[in-house]
Each structure stands twice: as structure tokens, then as C-alpha cells.
Amino acid sequence: MSSAAITARPTRSVFAASRSALGALVKRDLLVLRKHAGEFAARTIMQPLLLVFVFLYVFPSIGQGVGGGGGKAGESDFATVLVPGVVAITIMFQGIQSVAIQLSQEFGYTREIEDRVQAPCPLWLVAVARVLSGAAQGMISAILVFPIAAVVHAPGVEAHLSVHWWVVVTLIPLACLAMTSLGLVLGTTFEPRNIGLMFGFVVLPLVFLGGTYYQWTKLSAIQVGGFPWLQTLVLVNPLIYIAEGMRAGLTEASHMHLYVVYPVLIGFCVLFLSLGLRNFRRRVLS
Amino acid sequence: MVVGELGEVIRTAGLTKVYPKADAPAVDGLDLGVRQGELFGLLGPNGAGKTTTVGMLTTRVVPTAGAAWIGGIDVVARPTLVKQVIAVVSQQNTLDRSLTVRENLYFHGLLFGVPARQARRTADELLERFHLAKWADASVFALSGGMAQRLMVARAIYHRPAVLFLDEPTAGLDPQSRLALWEILGELIADGQTILLTTHNMEEADQLCDRVAILDHGRVLALDTPAALKQGVGADTVVSVQADGDPAALAELLTREITGVTQSRLTGAGVELQVKGGGANRLLPRVLSAAEAGGFAVADLSVAEATLETVFISLTGKELRD
């Protein structure tokens, strides 16, 4: 310890110091994830499991299956729509859970952020580290959830899945980044005591109007004066592009064109990241 | 050499912070120089601008005007570089709740670019040194306030910072933990660690600091060694008198009758006198008889040595805790 003299001269370049700091920040998050692996898995699986259990097992079994007008085939079509939707909301909830709620607490309650921002790297990198490790968690949860969503069904109900690997492999990471960036915006905006507000006014509308339970292409049927207002309105919802993208990646069902999905999701990433980083900086500096 | 000419590791010039919507600056044209290896204290009441000053020096508060350098590096222009050579122990517990005691140190090492194996070794050394080895694998929730504070100090000095900032380190600690922390700070200073601490505890400033800057309303009122500050007041003794009757009249009477009174002050129930050379010639009996002779029935009488509190009172006319 005492062998090294104390010096007021920084020994490393900003770049070198930032690189190791980023590594340490992500490593820390992943260690915490490993420590709470059970909790993480339970939290990740619970909601999708309940969704598919109720919609794809209970409903068809008691004769009120969604799409039941078309018999088992109709119910299976609904399953085909729902499975990608479930993967999409899983990714979204991971962004909320691993970034928004965590950050909100670290800013408002535990003050842990106070120490982390003294890391020898630019402030924005501290936020980006959290976004990256959150995205990694999002990918893990997507992989956890997919088999469950694909398997839990009533007899005779079956989702018609066909995996398009290049879409899955590119879209899931992009979707995770977009949702953890959204988490950064929410976590730097909402105080811990307002988290309920965030769920009520941001998370729930995103979920229910995010194409989890229906295809965006079918929304054109909802019209006022010939104008498909709902189909137009939900375009502001980032989740719709993820759900549609997952539909393209996991099924043969009709979906929004991928030429739209990718650029818009990249746009949302940029928008949320820049908003989130600006908020983060404002919260940290005075 | 990056350290300033006089071996100053912290230097500020006209450092000023005006918060939006505030009528008065929180810190007002601060010019400080802290030397290498020094334990420098910022003493002042709440709201004097101590925490804002530390905030500016640790890159968290952006100055409205002026400049600050640490080891010759401009804090405002190059905050990322400055963070390599400073460490902060803040008022709140900022330990990582998701990690164990040892992991808190280990990850701090990684954060500052220490290779994993060495980071683990240094963490264990620090745990020994700060008497936390027994708690190495415990959650930080298991630590008492004093132990958490020790762990925060251990974490802060992990990367051998050129300056260690301590913001009100003993606020909220029990007396025993406070003494333990003072002991640790003494060891750090013996190792050549430069420390800047803020406190509103004049005893702490007096006991620990090589030099003290007394702050009020964002300005430095006096800056010197504690001994020189106390000498500067001119009084070495403080006498408190409580008596029936008009305190103002009593103050006037005693100031007239007792030799060596440099300043008198009304304190709610009585009078406080600052006296020069009061330690010697039978001060208490003289005060008592003068008061009684003036028709005041003395209820309580006490005498104490001048402290930094005395200095603060003589500079501002008010107590530190006001």
C-alpha cells in the first residue's frame, strides 16, 4: 500500500481510465444479476407465464378462447400473435426494471449514484454502462421467456412459430437497447415515490397499446370517418415496433414492414439515449 | 511538477457559485490554497457554503465564476481527469447495497483500473487496516453507522487519491465512532494524505486540522492554524454569567469593571464575556463581586478557554449552531 507514493498527477489517459471504468461498472451489474439470479428469473418469467397461461390455456379450455370464433385454428392464430408480443413486453419490462427502477432508487433513496459518478470516466459513460448491462439482462430474459411462451398452451392450441434467425439476432439486441434507453429516461425523470405514476401513465399504456395482443396490421379496421386513427396513434409507441419485429422474427404472421421497424427503433434508441443522458447529467450536476 | 509552486495541491481563484433562484451566492469569490499533506478544514454553520465548495472541487457542482485546480488540473475544464486523483466521502451512506463489504472495495479498485488480482489483495489489506475483516462477506446493511463510515473512507483512499474530501464526516456518528474516525484520519495524515474536510464542529476542526478556514455566507472570514485563530481573537478566556436583572446593563457593568474584557455578548439568559489574560488573576471572584456590587443576583457563573467557537462568535456575532 504505502510503497506507491501519492501523486497528484493522473497516471492514465482519460480513454484508458474510462475503458476500465466501463468494464467495472458492467461487471458489477452482472455480478449483482448473478447473485440474484433466482429472483431475476422468477421476476422475468412470472408475467409472461401468467399471460400465456390465462390467454392460451385457461381461455381456450373454458371455451372463451380469443379467436375462438374460428375454432382451434382461430385460437392458434391468436397464440401465434401473442407469443412474439410476450417476448416484446418481457424486453420492455426488463428495461423498466433493470434501469428505470434501479436508477430512480439510486438517485432518490440509496444515493449510490453519488459514488458511481466519481468514477474516473465521463458522466455519460456511467449511464451508458447501466443501459448496456440492462440490455444484456433484457436479452437473457427474452431467451428465458421464449420457450415458455411457445410451450404453455391448451391442447389443440398451437402457435405457428418459425424462427427467422437473422431478424431475431439483430432485433432483440436493438429492442433491448431501445427499452433500456427508455428506462434511462424514466429512471432519471421519476422519483421513487412517483414510480406508481410511471406505471399507470407510461408503462401500462405502452403495454396495452403496444401490439402485444394484436397485430398492428389488423388495427386498420378501427376507423373513424375512414381514418384508421388507432393504427396511426400507436405509431408513437416504441413497443409496437418491437412486437411487430418479433412477429417478423418468430412467425409467418403478417407484420409491419421491417424496413420501417429497424430505422424507427434505431431512431427511438437515439432519442431516448440523448434525452436520458441529458436528464442524467442534470440530475448529477448542479 | 503539476503541484503548484508552494506545493499547493488545491487552489481556487474567485470560486463562486450562485444557485438559480437564490438571492445570495452560496460561495462568494473563494480563494484557497491547500498544501500537500495538509489536513485542511472548512468550518462554518449550515449553509455557509462548505458542501457547495466541496461539490465544486469534486466536479459535481459547476461554478458560476472563478476557477479551481487540483494538482494543477483545471477542475471545470477536465473533470474526468481530476476524478482520477480525488476521492469523496459524502454525508450520506453511498455504499453499494447490492454488494458485500469486500466487494464494495474490490469493485472500487476495478473502477479505478486496478487489475482484478491486485484489486482483491488491496481490498483485503484495507479490510484489515480498517478493522472490517470480520465483516468482509457481510452485506453492507449489517454495518453500523460508524463501520459504514469507515468502509467509505477505506473505499475512498483505495486508489491513493491526491486529495481526500470529507464532507461532515462525523455528523450523525456516536462519540466512540467519531473518535475512531479521528484516529484513522490521523493515520492517513501521517502517511502524507492531503485531506480537506468540512465540519460545523469546532472541536473537530480544532483537534484535527492543520489549518482552518472559517466560512460564513460563502466567504472566508479567517484562515489560519487553529492556535493562531484563537490567538487572533485576543481573548483566551470566556466567562458566562447568568443573573437576575437586565442582561444589557450587566454586560455594560462587567465590561467597565473587569480588566481585559475584549468583547461582551448577550446570550438569552445572561452575558458572555471574552477576556484577555483571564486565566491568571482570580477572574471568577472578581466577576462575582462586581456583579453583586452592581445589584445583580448571580445565578450561574462559568469560565472556559477560548475555542474556535469563540473565534466564530467574535467574527460574526453569532454561534456556529445558530
Side-chain angles (χ1 to χ4, degrees):
Chain A
M1 284 285 313
S2 45
S3 56
I6 292 174
T7 164
R9 190 199 300 268
T11 48
R12 294 171 303 147
S13 70
V14 167
F15 179 77
S18 301
R19 197 180 44 192
S20 48
L22 175 65
L25 288 166
V26 172
K27 233 186 241 174
R28 177 265 172 204
D29 288 347
L30 295 184
L31 172 80
V32 172
L33 176 66
R34 210 170 62 216
K35 278 184 167 187
H36 302 124
E39 192 187 310
F40 168 78
R43 192 182 73 206
T44 301
I45 290 168
M46 201 44 143
Q47 194 198 19
L49 185 64
L50 287 172
L51 265 177
V52 290
F53 177 69
V54 170
F55 280 106
L56 302 185
Y57 182 81
V58 176
F59 280 8
S61 302
I62 62 175
Q64 66 175 60
V66 182
K72 287 295 174 212
E75 287 172 354
S76 293
D77 284 347
F78 175 64
T80 308
V81 168
L82 187 65
V83 170
V86 164
V87 177
I89 58 166
T90 302
I91 290 173
M92 172 179 166
F93 269 94
Q94 211 46 245
I96 304 286
Q97 184 76 38
S98 63
V99 181
I101 294 181
Q102 287 285 332
L103 265 187
S104 171
Q105 286 181 345
E106 286 172 19
F107 268 114
Y109 159 65
T110 69
R111 317 299 294 172
E112 278 169 31
I113 203 75
E114 303 268 331
D115 186 67
R116 225 155 279 155
V117 296
Q118 294 299 145
C121 63
L123 278 183
W124 57 265
L125 202 61
V126 177
V128 165
R130 179 51 60 83
V131 167
L132 289 179
S133 55
Q137 295 183 36
M139 286 189 262
I140 297 171
S141 56
I143 293 166
L144 275 179
V145 157
F146 178 62
I148 295 172
V151 164
V152 180
H153 304 142
V157 176
E158 199 177 349
H160 303 296
L161 302 176
S162 62
V163 178
H164 304 269
W165 283 106
W166 70 269
V167 178
V168 171
V169 169
T170 51
L171 196 80
I172 289 185
L174 180 61
C176 290
L177 266 186
M179 289 298 101
T180 46
S181 303
L182 172 65
L184 180 66
V185 176
L186 297 177
T188 50
T189 306
F190 287 90
E191 304 279 336
R193 63 193 158 82
N194 292 334
I195 285 291
L197 216 62
M198 179 186 89
F199 271 96
F201 285 90
V202 181
V203 177
L204 286 182
L206 286 186
V207 169
F208 282 94
L209 300 175
T212 311
Y213 311 101
Y214 43 80
Q215 286 155 281
W216 177 78
T217 45
K218 298 275 175 72
L219 289 181
S220 56
I222 302 175
Q223 296 188 343
V224 169
F227 177 65
W229 64 274
L230 189 60
Q231 193 179 34
T232 311
L233 183 73
V234 297
L235 289 177
V236 301
N237 185 344
L239 191 60
I240 205 97
Y241 302 92
I242 298 174
E244 288 292 298
M246 295 319 298
R247 237 152 246 151
L250 298 174
T251 70
E252 300 289 353
S254 71
H255 55 80
M256 185 187 275
H257 209 293
L258 285 175
Y259 289 139
V260 177
V261 170
Y262 279 97
V264 173
L265 273 183
I266 291 172
F268 271 119
C269 276
V270 173
L271 174 72
F272 291 149
L273 257 186
S274 43
L275 270 178
L277 292 177
R278 196 195 59 172
N279 276 358
F280 187 83
R281 194 180 164 76
R282 282 189 186 165
R283 289 291 296 269
V284 171
L285 298 181
S286 52
Chain B
M1 187 67 183
V2 280
V3 174
E5 280 173 50
L6 300 163
E8 282 179 349
V9 66
I10 304 177
R11 200 155 65 78
T12 73
L15 197 61
T16 301
K17 178 65 185 181
V18 187
Y19 285 107
K21 292 178 199 155
D23 353 318
V27 174
D28 193 0
L30 197 66
D31 298 303
L32 281 182
V34 176
R35 298 169 198 143
Q36 190 144 28
E38 182 172 47
L39 203 171
F40 190 93
L42 293 178
L43 175 69
N46 290 332
K50 302 176 306 245
T51 299
T52 301
T53 303
V54 170
M56 287 192 281
L57 293 173
T58 57
T59 75
R60 288 295 301 283
V61 177
V62 183
T64 314
W69 297 267
I70 291 187
I73 310 164
D74 187 327
V75 175
V76 183
R78 316 201 64 187
T80 308
L81 210 52
V82 163
K83 283 192 273 188
Q84 276 191 46
V85 296
I86 62 171
V88 193
V89 175
S90 59
Q91 291 180 34
Q92 299 105 341
N93 179 342
T94 61
L95 294 170
D96 194 326
R97 269 77 156 179
S98 310
L99 301 179
T100 65
V101 171
R102 181 191 278 121
E103 286 165 349
N104 261 279
L105 294 175
Y106 170 68
F107 275 99
H108 184 88
L110 295 189
L111 206 53
F112 279 78
V114 180
R117 182 183 298 201
Q118 195 192 327
R120 214 164 279 135
R121 202 173 53 227
T122 306
D124 286 334
E125 283 170 10
L126 284 168
L127 289 173
E128 283 297 331
R129 181 170 166 201
F130 284 79
H131 311 296
L132 288 165
K134 225 169 45 178
W135 305 87
D137 296 314
S139 151
V140 296
F141 283 109
L143 300 183
S144 70
M147 288 194 290
Q149 186 78 3
R150 280 215 301 278
L151 181 56
M152 280 169 64
V153 175
R155 182 177 67 175
I157 63 157
Y158 189 114
H159 59 282
R160 310 287 287 163
V163 188
L164 171 60
F165 291 92
L166 298 163
D167 195 7
E168 301 274 357
T170 57
L173 288 190
D174 58 276
Q176 205 179 347
S177 303
R178 176 174 300 179
L179 284 179
L181 188 68
W182 286 5
E183 204 173 299
I184 285 169
L185 296 186
E187 288 167 18
L188 292 179
I189 282 296
D191 277 1
Q193 176 73 60
T194 309
I195 299 177
L196 185 145
L197 77 79
T198 75
T199 181
H200 61 250
N201 181 326
M202 46 94 191
E203 191 193 354
E204 186 163 285
D206 199 345
Q207 291 238 341
L208 288 178
C209 296
D210 297 312
R211 288 191 305 152
V212 174
I214 296 182
L215 240 60
D216 196 30
H217 299 305
R219 291 173 165 278
V220 174
L221 301 180
L223 194 169
D224 215 324
T225 62
L229 284 171
K230 285 185 282 188
Q231 229 160 38
V233 185
D236 49 26
T237 309
V238 178
V239 181
S240 306
V241 189
Q242 283 185 32
D244 300 334
D246 177 20
L250 176 63
E252 197 194 332
L253 171 81
L254 292 175
T255 308
R256 199 173 57 235
E257 294 291 322
I258 308 295
T259 47
V261 173
T262 58
Q263 198 174 0
S264 71
R265 193 171 72 92
L266 304 183
T267 62
V271 178
E272 195 178 273
L273 303 171
Q274 295 183 10
V275 187
K276 185 185 170 76
N281 38 30
R282 299 172 34 81
L283 182 59
L284 281 187
R286 282 193 290 136
V287 171
L288 185 61
S289 54
E292 301 272 315
F296 291 92
V298 174
D300 192 24
L301 188 58
S302 67
V303 62
E305 272 182 48
T307 63
L308 289 179
E309 176 102 42
T310 321
V311 178
F312 188 79
I313 290 168
S314 75
L315 287 169
T316 66
K318 62 181 186 183
E319 289 173 35
L320 265 174
R321 284 178 213 289
D322 279 356

